[in-house]
Amino acid sequence: MFRQARWDEPLIFELSRPGRRGFIVPEIDPAIKEAVGDIKIPAKLRREKPPELPEVSEVEVIRHYTRLTQMSYGVDNGPVPLGSCTMKYNPRVAFEIAFDPRITMLHPLQDERTVQGLLEILYHLQEWLKHITGMDYCCLHPAAGAHGELAGMLLTRKYHELRGQLDKKREIIVPDSAHGTNPASASMAGFKVVEVPSDENGNIDLDALRAAVGESTAGLMITNPSTLGLFEENIEEITRIIHSVDGLLYYDGANLNGIMGYTRPGDMGFDIAHINIHKTFSSPHGGGGPGAGPICIKDRVVDPDKNIWLHDLLPGYRVVYDEEKDMYRLEGPSKHSIGLLKTFFGNVIPLVWGYVYILSLGARGLRLATEQAVLNTNYFVELIKDVRGYSIPYGPGRHRKHEVVISAEKMKDETGVTAEDVAKGLLDVGLHAPTIYFPLIVKEALMTEFTESETIENIEEYAKRLKEISQIAYTNPSKAKEWPLSTSVKRIDNVRANHPKTLAPTWRIYLRKMRKADSNV
Ligand SMILES: *Cc1c(COP(=O)(O)O)cnc(C)c1O
């Protein structure tokens, strides 16, 4: 029986009382004062008013946040089988290492000679990612998957620009199963997005692709295995078609869990790929922290006369090893670079988490993680495929890789119970919902991914609950509309939560809205 804690928890600002403190800044040591005199902060750096901070004691802070975590759910409570978004267990050893003050207390402008340890970590991570993706260069700079995509699209743009063909290379081809960030990144970089459909087996429709490709094709973005969890069977033919018109192939490697250690974007013929450290390589994400989305490239000549190569276009800095001086150095951005997208190396902490994950598993361990993730998915498919109301569209007999998309369309048609109701039914028993309503080409989609973190018992438990939900849907559908009842927050109003009139992301905005509401009374 599951019941989540429910606290009537005020905002931390509402707990504030003037003069309460959680930390008292010590008086300056008299000896130091005598040695350096009065420390004067320059007037222009001083604030006129103290900042608006909540005034609370340490115990209040601890209790406040502990209560909030009790009303929440994360991968430390149970499975988070979010398809595409790979939520793995985050090994504690990685936290231990990444939060070592020898990493967290470094300043990015410190002399390189004093940060050799961190540079060595980042250098090895770069090298390993090259091996894992089969690429020639990796750059750790972008801060997220979508950020890596934008970098990749800007690279593609610059590639065509330097070759004097940007005026005709205007289009990026994206399959209809793509992650939403793909068309968004392509259009942010100034391209027109051309969508190609999937065939009934979940592969890209090759005839449609051939019809879409032409002089104006700047490149193609895909994820393989696709968001349906299916490996693209015609990948070599696809790369050949795109390369034949001098287009670049972009690999969305947000999730490598279906192929890591088995095949590589570089071997499939891709030119640019990003990797989400915060998915495949375990760093927490979403509410759990910032991410890192390195991009890797297969080198190719951009302008033979000027000797410009694709790696010259990479953003930000790369770590290089100077053999002569036996030290690590930062290099870049070069003259032809697309520039800086982020300060320095991007987000270092998630990069260190990824480094520890790879180092602790080793090459064999990474392969095993892939095997386990794929086995988990296909075992789950076996448990769920004949349950009433669910189906597995697109190549139902094909093996899935790291994830599977189940459709609850039949259930909805026959009982009115939707994918969202199914998701709420999972929350009601203390499980996390899968990704729902994505990819868009599957109606009433429940996109599920267990990763290598979950045990056979957890997967069976999940399937069992989905079976129970189906039984309830066919016998008492109105009950399904009430879920969840055991969570601290009941069913939320999806629209209201996102409405600009009600959304108050900061305390100041909240106060302004409250004042406005008062004056309207
Ligand atoms: C998560 C994801 C992205 C975007 O990554 P962010 O770090 O969230 O920006 C892109 N493509 C796919 C397939 C993803 O799963």
Side-chain angles (χ1 to χ4, degrees):
M1 184 61 192
F2 164 79
R3 190 170 301 281
Q4 200 166 33
R6 188 193 168 107
W7 295 92
D8 200 7
E9 191 61 15
L11 296 172
I12 196 160
F13 282 94
E14 293 167 338
L15 290 171
S16 176
R17 296 291 176 276
R20 283 210 188 136
R21 290 287 176 273
F23 178 73
I24 294 165
V25 183
E27 289 289 327
I28 297 172
D29 188 320
I32 293 178
K33 209 166 174 175
E34 206 184 300
V36 291
D38 267 344
I39 297 163
K40 289 211 176 66
I41 297 171
K44 66 170 188 203
L45 294 179
R46 270 183 257 153
R47 292 173 203 256
E48 283 166 22
K49 280 194 307 186
E52 255 182 73
L53 295 173
E55 297 180 69
V56 280
S57 67
E58 179 175 329
V59 65
E60 285 178 289
V61 173
I62 294 292
R63 284 181 187 157
H64 175 73
Y65 286 107
T66 303
R67 286 185 197 131
L68 291 183
T69 63
Q70 288 173 340
M71 302 204 311
S72 184
Y73 182 99
V75 80
D76 291 344
N77 295 73
V80 182
L82 287 175
S84 200
C85 290
T86 316
M87 285 280 191
K88 298 185 176 188
Y89 170 69
N90 316 124
R92 287 301 178 269
V93 63
F95 284 73
E96 194 90 359
I97 292 169
F99 290 136
D100 188 299
R102 283 169 293 181
I103 287 172
T104 55
M105 298 309 279
L106 300 182
H107 193 282
L109 289 176
Q110 244 170 275
D111 188 314
E112 281 166 1
R113 278 167 302 188
T114 67
V115 292
Q116 286 294 302
L118 178 61
L119 290 182
E120 187 175 343
I121 286 177
L122 297 175
Y123 177 79
H124 285 300
L125 181 62
Q126 256 176 215
E127 295 305 294
W128 295 337
L129 293 178
K130 267 159 62 177
H131 282 296
I132 291 168
T133 56
M135 297 299 211
D136 300 322
Y137 286 87
C138 282
C139 162
L140 305 177
H141 187 66
H147 208 203
E149 289 172 29
L150 178 64
M153 285 299 102
L154 293 173
L155 276 183
T156 304
R157 200 190 149 92
K158 187 102 189 200
Y159 170 83
H160 292 306
E161 190 186 316
L162 291 172
R163 290 166 78 81
Q165 52 187 12
L166 189 60
D167 50 337
K168 66 171 202 251
K169 295 278 182 202
R170 304 303 313 158
E171 295 175 357
I172 294 286
I173 296 175
V174 179
D176 60 0
S177 60
H179 194 265
T181 48
N182 292 186
S185 306
S187 90
M188 267 183 86
F191 290 113
K192 184 174 161 239
V193 176
V194 177
E195 190 178 281
V196 289
S198 309
D199 65 19
E200 70 271 21
N201 280 323
N203 292 310
I204 290 183
D205 183 328
L206 278 187
D207 290 332
L209 179 68
R210 285 196 194 97
V213 170
E215 282 287 280
S216 51
T217 304
L220 168 125
M221 295 180 96
I222 60 169
T223 176
N224 184 28
S226 69
T227 56
L228 296 166
L230 293 167
F231 192 86
E232 173 58 60
E233 290 173 308
N234 305 310
I235 192 63
E236 285 171 320
E237 178 60 9
I238 292 168
T239 53
R240 205 195 54 70
I241 293 171
I242 300 296
H243 279 154
S244 73
V245 293
D246 196 22
L248 294 185
L249 284 123
Y250 186 90
Y251 183 92
D252 176 342
N255 191 331
L256 291 179
N257 241 31
I259 60 157
M260 186 170 54
Y262 278 86
T263 182
R264 314 184 298 175
D267 301 339
M268 298 176 208
F270 284 89
D271 303 294
I272 311 172
H274 85 262
I275 304 151
N276 279 25
I277 297 291
H278 51 287
K279 288 182 185 172
T280 314
F281 302 106
S282 91
S283 309
H285 57 110
I295 59 166
C296 301
I297 57 144
K298 196 100 184 160
D299 214 6
R300 59 159 59 210
V301 69
V302 179
D303 183 333
D305 299 332
K306 295 192 185 128
N307 196 26
I308 304 171
W309 289 74
L310 197 57
H311 77 258
D312 295 316
L313 278 47
L314 283 169
Y317 304 89
R318 267 182 313 117
V319 189
V320 293
Y321 176 60
D322 184 334
E323 238 168 277
E324 218 168 90
K325 293 193 188 133
D326 185 26
M327 68 178 270
Y328 296 93
R329 284 191 299 104
L330 283 180
E331 208 177 76
S334 86
K335 187 165 111 215
H336 299 289
S337 161
I338 59 165
L340 284 178
L341 296 171
K342 182 98 179 76
T343 48
F344 302 97
F345 321 102
N347 286 329
V348 166
I349 301 261
L351 292 172
V352 177
W353 282 329
Y355 168 86
V356 177
Y357 180 84
I358 297 173
L359 183 64
S360 60
L361 285 180
R364 212 178 107 73
L366 293 181
R367 266 176 81 95
L368 278 174
T370 300
E371 281 168 21
Q372 191 64 53
V374 172
L375 184 62
N376 282 353
T377 305
N378 289 289
Y379 180 58
F380 175 66
V381 168
E382 284 305 307
L383 295 176
I384 203 73
K385 68 177 202 277
D386 297 324
V387 178
R388 194 172 177 197
Y390 305 116
S391 64
I392 299 178
Y394 294 100
R398 288 183 67 188
H399 274 138
R400 263 50 193 176
K401 292 290 179 281
H402 55 292
E403 64 197 357
V404 61
V405 184
I406 299 164
S407 169
E409 189 183 7
K410 207 155 160 266
M411 188 182 290
K412 186 187 171 196
D413 290 348
E414 291 171 357
T415 71
V417 173
T418 62
E420 183 179 10
D421 299 330
V422 173
K424 303 292 185 192
L426 290 164
L427 303 192
D428 199 47
V429 291
L431 294 169
H432 196 288
T435 302
I436 57 172
Y437 298 106
F438 174 74
L440 302 177
I441 53 173
V442 175
K443 296 214 173 96
E444 299 300 314
L446 294 153
M447 184 195 213
T448 319
E449 172 180 3
F450 289 102
T451 80
E452 76 276 16
S453 298
E454 300 310 328
T455 60
I456 189 167
E457 293 82 10
N458 289 350
I459 296 165
E460 286 170 351
E461 160 86 18
Y462 211 81
K464 186 169 140 235
R465 180 58 187 170
L466 284 170
K467 243 178 242 179
E468 285 166 10
I469 290 172
S470 152
Q471 276 155 10
I472 293 167
Y474 282 92
T475 51
N476 186 5
S478 60
K479 189 173 168 191
K481 296 286 170 190
E482 290 169 15
W483 288 329
L485 297 170
S486 327
T487 48
S488 59
V489 177
K490 305 289 178 280
R491 196 174 280 228
I492 55 163
D493 179 334
N494 292 338
V495 179
R496 188 166 173 263
N498 284 304
H499 197 284
K501 271 199 177 144
T502 40
L503 191 68
T506 70
W507 172 242
R508 247 182 262 171
I509 294 172
Y510 174 75
L511 285 183
R512 208 181 307 140
K513 286 194 173 173
M514 296 297 280
R515 258 184 262 135
K516 229 186 196 164
D518 279 349
S519 65
N520 286 345
V521 171

